[in-house]
Amino acid sequence: MICDDVRLALPDLGALDAVVVDPPRAGLHADVVGSIACAAPARVVYVSCDPQTLARDIARFAAAGYVPESVQPVDMFPQTYHVETVCVLARV
């Protein structure tokens, strides 16, 4: 397991089975989605705190050949409007 900024670590990792990303509220930079797609992991697990940027990034991953396999909201902050979402994307 490697914990690092994906933009810095990804080019040096080589072949990957899976990638887990937990970006800030702004979501992933478009270049990062492309870099992940070039690494061609079988699955990408995306943990999001913002449904809008998650939707935008899912569309970017779809353009790169990934489709949502499962989406699960997680209520980490009860009694508030905040929700985390875990989305598993699979390469097709």
Side-chain angles (χ1 to χ4, degrees):
M1 178 187 334
I2 297 170
C3 296
D4 202 347
D5 183 323
V6 69
R7 288 186 292 173
L8 301 175
L10 190 60
D12 298 328
L13 294 179
L16 303 170
D17 295 323
V19 172
V20 178
V21 294
D22 185 1
R25 192 165 291 283
L28 291 175
H29 189 279
D31 292 345
V32 172
V33 173
S35 295
I36 291 171
C38 285
R43 298 221 171 3
V44 176
V45 179
Y46 191 124
V47 180
S48 175
C49 62
D50 187 333
Q52 290 178 329
T53 57
L54 174 62
R56 180 201 67 205
D57 290 347
I58 286 174
R60 289 176 176 169
F61 274 110
Y66 286 83
V67 296
E69 192 172 68
S70 66
V71 179
Q72 178 66 53
V74 181
D75 187 4
M76 299 287 293
F77 309 100
Q79 324 269 304
T80 72
Y81 65 91
H82 296 287
V83 65
E84 295 284 315
T85 305
V86 178
C87 179
V88 178
L89 300 154
R91 188 166 42 117
V92 290

